[in-house]
Amino acid sequence: VTTGIRLATVKDAAMLAALHAESFDPGEQWSAQVIGGQMALHGTFGLLWPNLGMLLARVAADEGEILTLGVDKARRRAGVGRALLQEALVRAAALGAEKMFLEVAITNEPALGLYRASGFERVGVRHAYYEDGTDALIMRLDLAAGAVDPSAA
Ligand SMILES: CC(C)(COP(=O)(O)OP(=O)(O)OC[C@H]1O[C@@H](n2cnc3c(N)ncnc32)[C@H](O)[C@@H]1OP(=O)(O)O)[C@@H](O)C(=O)NCCC(=O)NCCS
């Protein structure tokens, strides 16, 4: 699959924030300042498919984490989220991650569908993790198990 995904820089923070705002409720949106600040942290990187989708992830030692992921509402279910996630897994593995983690609301069917389809498995639950009392699932993917397909990114 040919994608328009590229590594984001701090200069892309406004576009990343705009895509993020499109994907999350007002209370959960990350400003350009917050996103820029995250990207400046060691081990944190952003992926941008201009006008379509964004992702932030970080790697510390042998563990990686998907921090956030959002796709333009009008362009969902076309493989953009899957491509962003695959690219993030490849980059995280290259940075030394052997396993990836993420948190997702138990009610978020699209995201759960994407993560399960990408090989993530539930390893725990954080009760009432979100402000409205919704539980979060903790999911993990073992990158060493050959789950990463560079050709899919
Ligand atoms: C989750 C999200 C990023 C998925 O992006 P997307 O580009 O629409 O996803 P893709 O088209 O790549 O879908 C890949 C797979 O995920 C699953 N999936 C995606 N949307 C789904 C839905 N609405 N219901 C069930 N499964 C879904 C499917 O398995 C899909 O494969 P298929 O289309 O071949 O069946 C997008 O819905 C989004 O931005 N949601 C709001 C923000 C959010 O919740 N982010 C995650 C926070 S943890």
Side-chain angles (χ1 to χ4, degrees), residues 23-24 69-71 76-82 103-104 108-111 113-115 117:
S23 291
F24 293 90
L69 162 66
V71 171
R76 289 191 186 155
R77 212 64 197 261
V80 174
R82 188 198 302 271
E103 274 140 11
V104 56
N108 191 342
E109 294 289 346
L114 169 62
Y115 298 144

